[in-house]
Amino acid sequence: MKPDSKHMISNNFPESDFFGAIQDEHKMALRETLLDLHYKESQNNNKYVISIMSWKVQSIAASIAIFLLVGASFLFNMNDSMTNEEIFGQYYTTENSILTVRSNTAAEYSPVNDGLKYFDQQNYEKALYAFELAPENVVAKLYAGFSYMELQQYDQAIEKFKNIIDQKDNLFIDQAEWNLGLCYIITNNTDQAKEILAQITNSNTIYNIRAQQLLEDMGNN
Amino acid sequence: MAKFSTERILAGIVENDRIVIQYVYDKYFASIKSYVLKHGGSETDAWDVFQDSLMVVYEQARTGDLILKNTFITYFYSVCKYRWLKQLRDSSPSQHEEFEYKNETELYGYNNYVVQLDEELEQEERVRLYQENFLKLSKECQKLFKLLAKGLTTKEITEELNYKSTGFTYKKRRLCKEQLLKKIKENNDNTLKL
């Protein structure tokens, strides 16, 4: 039988099995080694595919390129590397509100819930006003950071994300670190961006792979 | 590429020796992937097959249950192949009969072993699902779950993590569990889509 996901995600989640699995440190270490090897191999394969594709289309591309270069180079400044703004545009996505996954708390009145509702409506100024009414709330800080990003007020966003990271021991550090990195990119603080992204690549978060790709893209500049 | 003996490979897997594991991965994963792809699977399936089979071998070697009459690769291929056929069989009952005797008994020829391997593979599939998704959680949730797994009480965890109250710890526990279940569900949904 395949592991029964319905069983695992039901209220009868077998916690003892789960705890047993994560306590097996030897097996966990072996799995991390495997995942790391597999990830690196996948990255190499992607580069290989791109290289082969480039080789195959080389002859066609060459003739087109010569034609374009002759004509277009008079008109445009040819530049292959992406600007920080382009990199940011490629990686930045508007976050979804957590209201959708915490419907049980959404009905309760609080400045944070109010702010999240405004955030969902893309009314970022009102959202910020509401979030400021709960200055110690981590969710409010995080979504205030996102709101500032949407309003392109990156310095204020940086302040919010740094505050979350400094606070430690909270559930939103991963998101704060990733978005802080993006804010550093768009504000041309490249060194600081690289530093935080390198930190993310050494973590086990969902942003790990994205951070590695982003660093590679930045490396091309 | 250096060549390792069967004994060295088994010891390397048990010891999490990166050089040996890299050797096994570099030498055998491509052919296992090719086998799975040829038989209706995806790259993700192949990777799951490889991981689960290696973990079964690890477990058998760790507990001293594994005495190989053949080379490592002969045995490892058999386990990988069986793991994939088992997935096909489980996902499609109509294929069950076709694979049941023809392929299952190919391993060592006696049914008790196949029953045991079935159980071991199922166990490894569950462990993979737990461990992979655990590693995707925030560090805070990982820490919290590790303390729970060690058997600490809520009060002890509250103190250990400097939380303000036991109520807060309960809330964190619930949130972390929600995160975990969401990831497990996503993982399964993605697998089913392939």
Side-chain angles (χ1 to χ4, degrees):
Chain A
M1 283 284 290
K2 206 170 161 50
D4 183 353
S5 63
K6 280 181 189 166
H7 174 60
M8 284 182 184
I9 62 177
S10 72
N11 290 331
N12 299 321
F13 175 69
E15 268 191 351
S16 57
D17 280 3
F18 169 66
F19 289 154
I22 64 169
Q23 269 194 305
D24 191 338
E25 287 179 9
H26 290 289
K27 196 175 278 181
M28 189 75 99
L30 178 58
R31 191 171 305 281
E32 285 188 67
T33 306
L34 277 173
L35 289 171
D36 188 44
L37 288 171
H38 187 58
Y39 170 73
K40 285 183 177 151
E41 181 61 21
S42 309
Q43 291 292 99
N44 287 339
N45 283 345
N46 287 342
K47 281 180 193 162
Y48 177 72
V49 168
I50 290 164
S51 147
I52 291 289
M53 282 174 69
S54 303
W55 177 79
K56 281 187 174 175
V57 299
Q58 200 171 1
S59 55
I60 305 165
S63 56
I64 296 170
I66 290 165
F67 176 77
L68 288 176
L69 275 171
V70 171
S73 60
F74 293 108
L75 301 171
F76 301 104
N77 178 20
M78 304 295 285
N79 188 355
D80 286 341
S81 61
M82 286 196 286
T83 63
N84 279 357
E85 202 175 343
E86 286 167 337
I87 293 175
F88 176 89
Q90 196 174 315
Y91 284 90
Y92 176 65
T93 51
T94 306
E95 293 285 335
N96 292 320
S97 160
I98 52 172
L99 273 178
T100 49
V101 292
R102 290 184 182 170
S103 55
N104 55 332
T105 55
E108 297 165 15
Y109 170 77
S110 78
V112 181
N113 283 337
D114 255 14
L116 290 171
K117 280 178 201 161
Y118 287 128
F119 183 87
D120 272 349
Q121 293 161 9
Q122 299 180 7
N123 192 340
Y124 302 114
E125 285 91 354
K126 275 194 175 180
L128 279 168
Y129 180 80
F131 292 138
E132 293 305 334
L133 296 174
E136 295 306 314
N137 186 293
V138 188
V139 175
K141 284 181 199 172
L142 184 75
Y143 279 84
F146 295 152
S147 303
Y148 281 125
M149 282 179 92
E150 291 293 332
L151 295 169
Q152 300 182 4
Q153 295 174 26
Y154 300 109
D155 289 338
Q156 285 94 326
I158 288 173
E159 201 181 305
K160 293 291 172 192
F161 295 137
K162 279 169 83 171
N163 198 299
I164 293 167
I165 296 163
D166 289 345
Q167 197 174 323
K168 296 178 180 158
D169 276 338
N170 67 70
L171 295 169
F172 304 106
I173 287 178
D174 305 342
Q175 280 169 290
E177 283 179 339
W178 169 249
N179 284 284
L180 178 62
L182 291 177
C183 286
Y184 281 144
I185 290 172
I186 192 70
T187 52
N188 291 319
N189 290 310
T190 311
D191 290 343
Q192 282 167 296
K194 283 183 176 171
E195 193 182 325
I196 191 112
L197 290 167
Q199 206 174 305
I200 298 170
T201 59
N202 291 323
S203 66
N204 287 318
T205 71
I206 55 164
Y207 296 103
N208 181 317
I209 293 169
R210 269 187 273 181
Q212 294 193 31
Q213 286 165 346
L214 208 166
L215 272 175
E216 280 178 25
D217 285 345
M218 289 178 80
N220 293 331
N221 278 350
Chain B
M1 190 187 286
K3 200 177 170 188
F4 293 105
S5 66
T6 294
E7 291 74 23
R8 182 72 191 90
I9 291 174
L10 291 179
I13 292 170
V14 172
E15 290 158 11
N16 189 18
D17 181 334
R18 194 181 170 91
I19 294 170
V20 171
I21 293 160
Q22 170 112 47
Y23 171 82
V24 172
Y25 180 88
D26 288 347
K27 211 162 162 54
Y28 307 130
F29 178 60
S31 8
I32 287 153
K33 186 167 87 178
S34 164
Y35 174 81
V36 173
L37 292 177
K38 265 185 210 163
H39 291 83
S42 66
E43 289 204 15
T44 311
D45 290 326
W47 175 231
D48 289 347
V49 163
F50 185 85
Q51 275 194 84
D52 292 347
S53 305
L54 196 81
M55 289 299 178
V56 162
V57 172
Y58 162 79
E59 201 61 56
Q60 292 172 343
R62 175 165 75 166
T63 51
D65 282 351
L66 190 60
I67 300 162
L68 290 183
K69 294 176 198 163
N70 305 311
T71 59
F72 169 78
I73 188 54
T74 309
Y75 180 69
F76 187 54
Y77 268 145
S78 304
V79 177
C80 287
K81 196 175 162 190
Y82 180 76
R83 163 64 178 75
W84 176 239
L85 294 173
K86 179 179 170 304
Q87 185 167 329
L88 286 179
R89 182 195 67 189
D90 292 346
S91 62
S92 170
S94 63
Q95 287 175 310
H96 185 131
E97 286 178 11
E98 189 185 332
F99 290 126
E100 194 170 25
Y101 296 108
K102 191 172 149 200
N103 294 304
E104 289 183 9
T105 50
E106 206 178 86
L107 263 170
Y108 280 100
Y110 54 99
N111 289 333
N112 283 347
Y113 182 72
V114 168
V115 170
Q116 187 194 325
L117 189 58
D118 255 1
E119 287 167 6
E120 287 170 345
L121 285 167
E122 278 159 23
Q123 170 66 11
E124 291 312 326
E125 282 180 73
R126 274 192 293 274
V127 170
R128 170 168 50 78
L129 209 53
Y130 291 141
Q131 290 188 340
E132 270 187 354
N133 289 295
F134 171 77
L135 290 170
K136 288 179 196 163
L137 291 174
S138 67
K139 280 176 193 161
E140 188 189 18
C141 285
Q142 289 188 15
K143 209 167 169 183
L144 180 65
F145 278 137
K146 279 196 170 172
L147 294 174
L148 282 165
K150 276 185 189 167
L152 266 69
T153 63
T154 307
K155 193 167 174 271
E156 287 166 336
I157 293 171
T158 307
E159 284 164 11
E160 180 78 24
L161 296 179
N162 278 328
Y163 286 161
K164 55 189 176 190
S165 65
T166 49
F168 188 73
T169 308
Y170 277 119
K171 193 179 168 192
K172 287 276 182 195
R173 178 180 178 163
R174 182 174 55 79
L175 289 172
C176 290
K177 191 174 159 183
E178 277 172 14
Q179 268 191 32
L180 175 73
L181 296 180
K182 194 174 164 215
K183 286 180 194 301
I184 289 176
K185 189 175 181 301
E186 281 168 4
N187 190 297
N188 268 268
D189 288 347
N190 289 337
T191 308
L192 290 172
K193 273 180 207 160
L194 292 166

